[in-house]
Amino acid sequence: MSVNVARQLQVAPEPGGAELVLPQAIAFGPTERRLFGWYHAPRGTPRGMGVVLCNPLGYEAMPAHRTYRHLAARLADAGFAVLRFDYDGTGDSSGYDDEPGRVSAWLASIGTAIDEVKRRSGTAQVCLFGLRLGGLFALATAAAREDVRALMLWATPATGRAYVRELRAFRQIKEKDSVGPPRESPTPGEEIAGYLLLPETADGLSGLRPLETPTRAVQQALLIGRDDLPGAEAQIAKHLTACGVSVSSPTVPGYSAAMRDAEFTELPEAALGTLVDWLRRTDDSSEGRALAGEGPSADTAASESVLVCTAPGGAQVRERAVRYGREGRLFGIVAEPPSEAPSGDRAGVLFVSVGANHRTGPNRMHVTLSRELASRGFVAMRLDIAGVGDSPAAPGEKEHPLYSKASVRDIQEAMDWLGHAYGLRRYVVASLCSGAFLTFHASVQDERVAGQVLINPQTFVWRTGDSLVIKQREQRPAYETSFKSTRFYRTAVLRKETWRRLLRGEIQVRRIARELLSRAVKRAQTLPLPGPLQGAEQREHLAVRRSFSALVDRGVQSLLVYSANDGGLDVIERYLGPRARRLANKPNFRMEIVDGPDHTFTPLWSQAYLGTLILEFVTTHFG
């Protein structure tokens, strides 16, 4: 198998003559349990400490990704060697959340990352940064090691037990506002916002009590609290001060804006500036300086972009971190069969980043599916479009370019790269919500797309100035913020619980009525009229309907999956009729409506069902 692995550290020109320095994607740690990470080499004179960024977990890790990437880049610009990474069984690293020993594996991952940044940079001591549970892990690690000299903790709970209580309270709110009876999870344990919490893992987290153990070598610590809720900073500061640590606890805004649903996140500029300035001053007061790290050779760097991991079914597959496209700005991870070259007749599979979330997908769906497909002989890439995740925005462009048809080019460049590297000639493209919008338009524009999987797309037409709040992502009670499908409201009026909530004032009747009236107006605007009488709505409506028909006529295999309560269902039915009856009799078109899940298929049973649909679709038509 001939694969041209792109450079992992690349310098590209930016406007005004500045340089964009891209970090190095690496796989490191034990051969059988490799971790994925990014090494940000220091710029200018190296500082005396390396820095390891400890992620939060689960749903909190998704909006935090952008903040971590910017923090790592700014620390590297200040001269620090920085490693950000995914714990074992999370993100792009090996493993899964249904395996035993999760807490010990996560803590061991931090130790492995500390050793790695020291090896690469030549530093003898490190600073650990952690947000939320990442901060608690950093505290626990500092109590066990002699080389952690500084801590930067943001919104860190005092104990694991307190954190687990928060998770369970959040789960209970979600369950209260869910629609329909609960279904049994395919795996024993608790579902927390789409992620599995095994009983053993909950017990392990609850047992984390780092404030009962003195730190070993920490000299200075920075504690930043939340700006929306009181935190445990006073408790943590009291403990660290008793251990002889010099503690700074400034009041800094930014947490709530940084931890929104990812497409609405704002960079916490004040917090980022505080973190970088504090660590620079801390390092300036230190006597130790960095040594000259040897760094990996070119051959070693290429091999370090390869991660051998186990697919959900147990087979071993390889994954490669690659940069490609314009000036090497685009980033993706390719899962490939372990031993033999893929057949040229077999389609490649592309999972497109969803909204402003990076390539791992909702509930890590893209990781598990790409590895499973690789174990079945497919090449599968999960990619970040430009401006999302680890694909920097093009010069002059903003981050998070949602619903921009220009992003279709990013998908096409991924197909170009895969065709050159693996000889692939046709592709299946899959994604959810705004990623499904791009998937549809990539299918329309590029005849190499032989199959498309559209999951809960909210629109197929986007105009400049349209609101991004097409549908809130179930962050709050369903009746309060997110509009459901019309069929949901038709059945809801027949439920006693609906009337109870109405009497309690929990249902915003006027907002729902306005939304249903708006839908009726849109349906009326798309009624067929003679050409001269057609307005913009009719023309756009006909263009989308004709595009679907053209895809079917071209032979493209289409799988559309909708949650039964999702507001996007009304959109597709305006174009194709109830249950897409205009195309339902076509052998290469299928629409599946699933009762129960939310917009992102959060419940574990719905994740398993959706995964089965996608795997069967790909293997049946393209295997």
Side-chain angles (χ1 to χ4, degrees):
M1 182 183 302
S2 174
V3 178
N4 177 24
V5 179
R7 287 175 293 170
Q8 301 305 307
L9 179 63
Q10 184 165 347
V11 179
E14 284 284 82
E19 290 183 342
L20 169 68
V21 178
L22 300 176
Q24 180 182 354
I26 60 172
F28 63 99
T31 303
E32 68 281 2
R33 301 288 295 196
R34 302 285 272 175
L35 303 176
F36 175 80
W38 291 98
Y39 179 64
H40 295 252
R43 304 192 71 186
T45 303
R47 292 279 181 167
M49 284 187 290
V51 185
V52 173
L53 307 187
C54 305
N55 283 335
L57 279 178
Y59 67 96
E60 290 181 327
M62 297 305 285
H65 184 274
R66 184 187 185 199
T67 294
Y68 271 59
R69 177 170 57 82
H70 280 269
L71 176 60
R74 296 183 191 193
L75 287 171
D77 285 343
F80 293 97
V82 186
L83 180 61
R84 57 185 173 98
F85 72 104
D86 296 326
Y87 307 118
D88 182 280
T90 72
D92 293 304
S93 289
S94 304
Y96 304 94
D97 56 9
D98 60 353
E99 296 177 293
R102 290 298 80 210
V103 176
S104 60
W106 296 333
L107 292 173
S109 297
I110 297 177
T112 302
I114 291 173
D115 295 339
E116 184 69 14
V117 78
K118 288 168 59 179
R119 180 183 74 85
R120 289 176 175 271
S121 64
T123 55
Q125 297 176 317
V126 299
C127 171
L128 299 182
F129 166 78
L131 170 69
R132 298 288 290 140
L133 187 59
L136 192 65
F137 286 164
L139 263 175
T141 301
R145 294 186 65 115
E146 302 284 355
D147 50 5
V148 179
R149 189 165 64 82
L151 290 171
M152 298 191 296
L153 310 179
W154 194 3
T156 297
T159 66
R161 185 178 297 277
Y163 179 78
V164 172
R165 282 201 300 265
E166 288 184 41
L167 293 182
R168 287 176 169 157
F170 182 80
R171 185 203 68 207
Q172 290 170 358
I173 292 173
K174 294 283 290 182
E175 288 178 348
K176 175 184 175 183
D177 294 301
S178 64
V179 179
R183 301 196 190 186
E184 184 178 350
S185 169
T187 306
E190 303 175 64
E191 179 264 308
I192 307 290
Y195 294 86
L196 176 65
L197 183 67
L198 291 172
E200 177 202 0
T201 305
D203 291 343
L205 288 174
S206 296
L208 290 176
R209 296 185 293 271
L211 301 191
E212 297 179 3
T213 306
T215 59
R216 290 175 176 248
V218 178
Q219 298 176 13
Q220 293 178 291
L222 173 68
L223 309 182
I224 301 177
R226 298 176 63 154
D227 54 7
D228 56 350
L229 291 172
E233 284 68 41
Q235 285 177 265
I236 298 172
K238 181 178 179 181
H239 165 73
L240 292 176
T241 301
C243 295
V245 179
S246 174
V247 179
S248 176
S249 302
T251 300
V252 183
Y255 176 86
S256 57
M259 295 299 287
R260 297 171 182 167
D261 197 26
E263 51 261 58
F264 304 114
T265 59
E266 299 175 10
L267 278 179
E269 294 290 351
L272 292 175
T274 297
L275 291 163
V276 174
D277 290 343
W278 180 87
L279 191 57
R280 185 188 290 115
R281 292 194 303 271
T282 298
D283 185 74
D284 286 342
S285 66
S286 169
E287 297 179 359
R289 305 305 303 168
L291 304 175
E294 295 181 1
S297 66
D299 291 341
T300 303
S303 67
E304 285 178 340
S305 68
V306 178
L307 183 149
V308 178
C309 55
T310 303
Q316 295 291 307
V317 299
R318 284 192 299 262
E319 292 195 331
R320 299 178 184 271
V322 297
R323 285 207 181 275
Y324 59 94
R326 293 155 288 179
E327 300 172 337
R329 287 175 177 270
L330 299 177
F331 178 77
I333 292 185
V334 182
E336 61 183 27
S339 57
E340 60 183 35
S343 167
D345 294 331
R346 183 164 286 184
V349 184
L350 294 172
F351 292 102
V352 181
S353 53
V354 177
N357 288 311
H358 63 296
R359 62 203 162 269
T360 56
N363 317 309
R364 211 180 174 219
M365 176 180 70
H366 294 176
V367 176
T368 55
L369 285 175
S370 60
R371 290 175 180 176
E372 178 66 23
L373 286 167
S375 74
R376 302 185 185 198
F378 292 88
V379 171
M381 173 188 276
R382 46 190 189 269
L383 62 97
D384 292 330
I385 63 170
V388 172
D390 291 289
S391 292
E397 299 294 332
K398 295 181 179 180
E399 293 186 333
H400 298 180
L402 304 187
Y403 294 101
S404 169
K405 285 187 181 180
S407 299
V408 169
R409 180 58 191 156
D410 301 340
I411 300 174
Q412 292 174 312
E413 292 196 357
M415 290 190 283
D416 294 343
W417 190 91
L418 289 169
H420 175 72
Y422 297 94
L424 300 173
R425 297 187 295 273
R426 56 186 187 142
Y427 300 90
V428 180
V429 187
S431 196
L432 179 146
C433 194
S434 63
F437 171 89
L438 298 178
T439 294
F440 170 74
H441 287 285
S443 301
V444 171
Q445 295 182 28
D446 200 307
E447 293 194 356
R448 290 175 294 179
V449 178
Q452 60 173 354
V453 180
L454 311 179
I455 308 166
N456 280 335
Q458 302 295 288
T459 186
F460 299 92
V461 176
W462 188 262
R463 307 177 193 87
T464 302
D466 282 356
S467 171
L468 290 176
V469 191
I470 294 179
K471 181 184 189 309
Q472 296 287 352
R473 302 295 184 265
E474 327 298 354
Q475 294 282 342
R476 301 177 195 145
Y479 283 92
E480 295 180 4
T481 60
S482 59
F483 293 119
K484 301 295 186 181
S485 64
T486 301
R487 71 176 63 208
F488 165 77
Y489 295 115
R490 288 171 182 162
T491 57
V493 296
L494 303 177
R495 299 192 187 106
K496 292 181 180 179
E497 179 60 22
T498 302
W499 294 97
R500 293 192 187 101
R501 298 189 68 163
L502 180 64
L503 292 174
R504 293 196 298 262
E506 296 178 359
I507 299 178
Q508 299 185 21
V509 179
R510 291 184 180 180
R511 291 183 68 243
I512 295 173
R514 285 197 299 268
E515 172 65 16
L516 294 178
L517 177 61
S518 173
R519 292 177 185 179
V521 171
K522 288 180 179 178
R523 284 195 295 272
Q525 289 174 335
T526 57
L527 292 174
L529 292 173
L533 300 179
Q534 290 177 2
E537 290 284 347
Q538 281 94 2
R539 289 193 294 272
E540 290 172 350
H541 177 86
L542 288 174
V544 172
R545 183 189 299 176
R546 288 167 180 165
S547 293
F548 269 107
S549 296
L551 289 173
V552 168
D553 294 341
R554 201 177 86 202
V556 174
Q557 296 286 344
S558 295
L559 172 63
L560 279 66
V561 185
Y562 280 92
S563 306
N565 302 322
D566 194 84
L569 191 56
D570 284 80
V571 176
I572 193 65
E573 291 188 338
R574 282 206 306 270
Y575 294 124
L576 303 180
R579 292 186 175 271
R581 64 188 178 194
R582 291 180 180 275
L583 298 176
N585 63 338
K586 301 294 184 180
N588 57 336
F589 181 92
R590 176 185 176 188
M591 188 166 86
E592 188 85 14
I593 300 175
V594 186
D595 286 320
D598 58 10
H599 179 70
T600 55
F601 282 75
T602 298
L604 296 175
W605 69 263
S606 68
Q607 294 178 36
Y609 184 77
L610 177 61
T612 299
L613 284 178
I614 295 173
L615 289 171
E616 288 181 351
F617 173 77
V618 174
T619 55
T620 298
H621 298 294
F622 305 98

